[in-house]
Amino acid sequence: MKRLKQLSKLLLVTAVVFAGCEGQESSLIDDRLENNPLPQDPAPNYTAGDADFSNYIAIGNSLTAGYMDGALYDAAQQNSLPALIAEQLSVVGGTTFTQPDINSTNGFNTTIENPQNGTIFGRYKLDTSIPGPSPVVGGDLISNYTGAANELNNFGVPGIVVGQLLTPATGGPNSEQNPAFNPFYQRFASNPSQDGQTGSTIIGDAISAQPTFFSLWIGNNDVLGYAVGGASNENILTSDGDFQTQFNATVDNLMGNTQADGVVANIPPFLGLAYFRAVPYNPIPIESQQQADALNDGYQDYNNGLAQARGAGLIDEQEEQRRTIQFSLGANPFVMEDETLTDLSALGLPNYRQAEPTDLVILSAATAFATGVGTQSAAGDELVLIPQEQQEIETKRATFNGIIADAVDNYSSRLVLYNTNDPAGAFADIFGISDGVPGIRVGGVDLQPDFSPNGILSTDAIHPNQRGNAILANEFLKVIEGKFNATLPRVDVLELPSVQTCAGDCASQQAGAGS
C-alpha cells in the first residue's frame, strides 16, 4: 500500500510538470490514478447517542436570543448560539429550529436613548476612524412576531433575569408599575398578560413546546446588570435566596413537565469582557505642562485639605498620598469617587482619588471622559468597579454557580452542566485566565476577546459576535457528546463573520456628528 501511495504522488507530480502534454502519457496517468486512488479519511459517523434531538428548544436571555451589537436583528438571530447548535443537531435527527424572527436588518438599539429626535438607531457597527462603536441610523421599533407562537424553538429573551422566566408580568402590561415587562417576550408570548397576574410565561411556553432536548443558559443578568452599572445599584442584584428559589423552580418545571434531557450553562467570568477592559485606568492624555498645571490648580484646595486631615490624625500618610490629585505629562489616571475612603465630609472634602491599575472602567466611561469627567469633575461610582466591588461580584457569581451546579446534580441522569469556568475551557482561554495571554486560536487564526475585526465580541463589548457564538456552540456540543454518548459535528468558526464596519450608515458619519 505504501508503494501505491508513493506511485500515486509521483504520478501527480508528473501530471503537474507535464500538464501541457496530451495523448498517451496523460491517459496513462488517468488510468493509474483511477485504479490506485489516494486514500481518504472516512466520513464521520455522527450519532445522537442516548439523546433525542428531534425537538430541541433553547431557553435563556440575550445570549440565547441572538442579541449582539446592542440590538436584536436578522443576521444576529440567524446565527444565534442555539441556531448554530440546532444546525449540528439536525445531522443526528434534529428538525427545523424556529425562532421569533425580528424582521429587521438593523434592529432597535436598546443600550442608548432611543428614538432620539425622531431618529431610530439600530445595531452598533465599528467606526474605524474613532475607533469605536457607533449606532446605525435606520433601526426599527420592536414589532410583534407574526409567526405561530406555538411552533417556536428559541425562547431566549434579551435582558431577563431568572425570575422573569416564571412570571406573566414579563409579557405585560407595559407600564411603570410593572418593572418585569419585557417587549422582547411580549412580541412572541402565547398569551401576553394584560394585568401582570394572568397570562403566559416564558417557561410555560417553553414547556408547551414539549421538547425532547433543551439548553438553559440563564442567571448572567442577575449579577451582570449590577456590574454593568458600576455596582452602584444594589436593588438590581438578585439575592441568594431568590436566585435559588427561582432557578430551582425553573429546572423543576422543566424536569417535571417534560421528558427532555438538557444542557445547563452557568455564569462565565464576565469581568474579562471588553466592556470592563477596553478603557484603561489612565485614559487622560496631558500634552502640555500648561494643561497639567491648570488641572492641578483646580485640585489644590482639595490636596491642602488632605494635608490638614492627616495633621489632625484623621487619615494616615499612605491615604493622603493615595488621595492626592496630581496630573503630569503623558497618560494620566482619571479622578474618581471611592466610597471606601475615610469620610472627610466634615471638612468639606469629597472621597476622591485617581484611578489605579486594579480598578475596572466600564465602556461608557469613555464618552463621559470626553465631556470633562475625570478631570474637571470626578467619575461617579457607576463608571468604575473598584476591587471591593469586583470581589463582591465574583462572590455573588460563585454563589449563583453553586446553586446552578446543585440543580443540575439533582437531575444528573438527564442534565449535564456546561461549566463556563472550566480552567481548560474556551472562556479561560479567551480571557487569558489559563495562560495569561488573552485570545483563542482557531484554525490557525488568533481571535481576540474584543470587537476588533479579528475579535469574537460584538460591538456592544459584552455579547459574542457570530464567530463568538460558533465557539460557544462547539463548547456546548462537546459537553453534550460527553454526557449522552453522542458524536456531533462542529461549527466552522472561521466561516462566520466577525464585526461589521460603518459604511456611511453610522451616526458618527452623519453631517455635524461630533461638532
Side-chain angles (χ1 to χ4, degrees):
M1 184 66 185
K2 183 176 179 181
R3 185 182 177 199
L4 288 177
K5 287 181 64 177
Q6 292 172 339
L7 176 60
S8 298
K9 291 178 180 179
L10 176 61
L11 291 174
L12 283 173
V13 172
T14 305
V16 171
V17 174
F18 296 98
C21 299
E22 297 179 357
Q24 186 174 359
E25 296 87 349
S26 180
S27 178
L28 178 61
I29 292 170
D30 291 340
D31 289 344
R32 291 193 179 183
L33 283 176
E34 182 177 351
N35 293 329
N36 301 283
L38 292 174
Q40 297 180 353
D41 293 332
N45 183 24
Y46 297 124
T47 173
D50 303 325
D52 178 358
F53 301 120
S54 60
N55 187 21
Y56 162 60
I57 69 165
I59 308 160
N61 51 37
S62 51
L63 293 166
T64 296
Y67 180 103
M68 62 181 74
D69 300 308
L72 190 65
Y73 60 96
D74 292 342
Q77 276 191 305
Q78 290 158 11
N79 288 300
S80 68
L81 169 63
L84 295 175
I85 293 174
E87 184 178 357
Q88 311 313 306
L89 298 184
S90 68
V91 176
V92 291
T95 55
T96 302
F97 188 79
T98 303
Q99 304 187 94
D101 300 328
I102 197 74
N103 293 321
S104 175
T105 301
N106 294 319
F108 181 88
N109 195 310
T110 65
T111 71
I112 58 176
E113 181 185 344
N114 203 4
Q116 294 181 32
N117 300 321
T119 299
I120 300 174
F121 292 101
R123 55 165 299 190
Y124 289 115
K125 289 185 179 181
L126 179 63
D127 187 339
T128 55
S129 67
I130 297 178
S134 179
V136 169
V137 177
D140 297 295
L141 295 173
I142 300 171
S143 60
N144 289 335
Y145 174 55
T146 58
N150 63 351
E151 296 178 0
L152 289 173
N153 297 85
N154 191 340
F155 297 92
V157 178
I160 63 168
V161 295
V162 175
Q164 286 174 279
L165 290 175
L166 304 165
T167 174
T170 308
N174 181 8
S175 69
E176 293 183 0
Q177 290 72 40
N178 181 20
F181 171 73
N182 186 296
F184 288 107
Y185 174 55
Q186 184 190 55
R187 64 180 296 271
F188 71 80
S190 63
N191 181 22
S193 179
Q194 302 300 312
D195 56 8
Q197 303 297 319
T198 58
S200 61
T201 64
I202 299 171
I203 196 65
D205 284 350
I207 289 170
S208 295
Q210 283 301 297
T212 60
F213 195 87
F214 68 85
S215 60
L216 173 66
W217 197 3
I218 193 71
N220 297 286
N221 291 334
D222 291 75
V223 60
L224 176 61
Y226 178 63
V228 165
S232 60
N233 182 7
E234 290 191 354
N235 292 328
I236 63 173
L237 184 61
T238 304
S239 71
D240 296 351
D242 284 347
F243 189 90
Q244 183 168 28
T245 298
Q246 293 161 359
F247 196 89
N248 285 337
T250 297
V251 174
D252 289 345
N253 268 284
L254 285 166
M255 294 288 93
N257 294 288
T258 76
Q259 298 299 312
D261 296 321
V263 55
V264 179
N266 59 13
I267 306 171
F270 57 73
L271 289 182
L273 290 167
Y275 191 87
F276 304 103
R277 303 284 175 169
V279 179
Y281 80 98
N282 58 345
I284 308 298
I286 303 296
E287 299 177 352
S288 70
Q289 189 59 49
Q290 182 180 10
Q291 182 185 8
D293 291 342
L295 290 172
N296 290 333
D297 287 345
Y299 289 97
Q300 190 61 53
D301 289 344
Y302 175 72
N303 291 340
N304 291 338
L306 294 176
Q308 294 174 6
R310 181 173 67 88
L314 299 176
I315 58 174
D316 59 20
E317 181 179 2
Q318 182 179 9
E319 183 170 353
E320 179 194 7
Q321 292 176 351
R322 188 184 184 204
R323 295 176 66 157
T324 297
I325 307 300
Q326 184 70 39
F327 290 95
S328 59
L329 291 175
N332 284 255
F334 59 91
V335 178
M336 56 174 280
E337 298 177 6
D338 183 347
E339 67 272 21
T340 66
L341 298 172
T342 302
D343 183 5
L344 299 177
S345 58
L347 300 180
L349 297 177
N351 283 14
Y352 287 176
R353 66 172 173 85
Q354 284 177 283
E356 298 165 349
T358 53
D359 296 316
L360 293 181
V361 190
I362 70 171
L363 186 65
S364 59
T367 302
F369 294 153
T371 66
V373 172
T375 51
Q376 300 169 20
S377 63
D381 181 41
E382 72 280 2
L383 298 179
V384 190
L385 290 175
I386 62 176
Q388 291 90 333
E389 292 168 337
Q390 296 169 39
Q391 183 60 47
E392 177 191 19
I393 290 165
E394 285 299 284
T395 299
K396 180 68 73 171
R397 194 174 66 85
T399 300
F400 288 176
N401 279 344
I403 293 169
I404 293 171
D406 288 344
V408 172
D409 284 344
N410 289 338
Y411 298 96
S412 59
S413 64
R414 294 169 59 188
L415 298 179
V416 62
L417 176 69
Y418 166 35
N419 181 15
T420 61
N421 299 271
D422 185 343
F427 278 100
D429 196 0
I430 290 166
F431 294 149
I433 298 171
S434 58
D435 58 5
V437 181
I440 188 169
R441 191 167 181 82
V442 178
V445 177
D446 292 320
L447 303 177
Q448 298 303 311
D450 56 29
F451 48 81
S452 66
N454 225 32
I456 59 172
L457 291 181
S458 72
T459 46
D460 60 33
I462 291 178
H463 298 88
N465 60 27
Q466 296 175 54
R467 283 186 174 179
N469 276 343
I471 291 172
L472 294 181
N474 288 338
E475 292 279 289
F476 273 79
L477 292 165
K478 181 169 64 176
V479 298
I480 292 170
E481 277 186 335
K483 173 66 175 180
F484 299 103
N485 300 310
T487 304
L488 305 172
R490 296 293 192 266
V491 185
D492 188 334
V493 175
L494 299 180
E495 277 194 352
L496 295 172
S498 55
V499 301
Q500 287 192 345
T501 56
C502 297
D505 53 350
C506 293
S508 58
Q509 298 174 314
Q510 308 309 302
S515 60

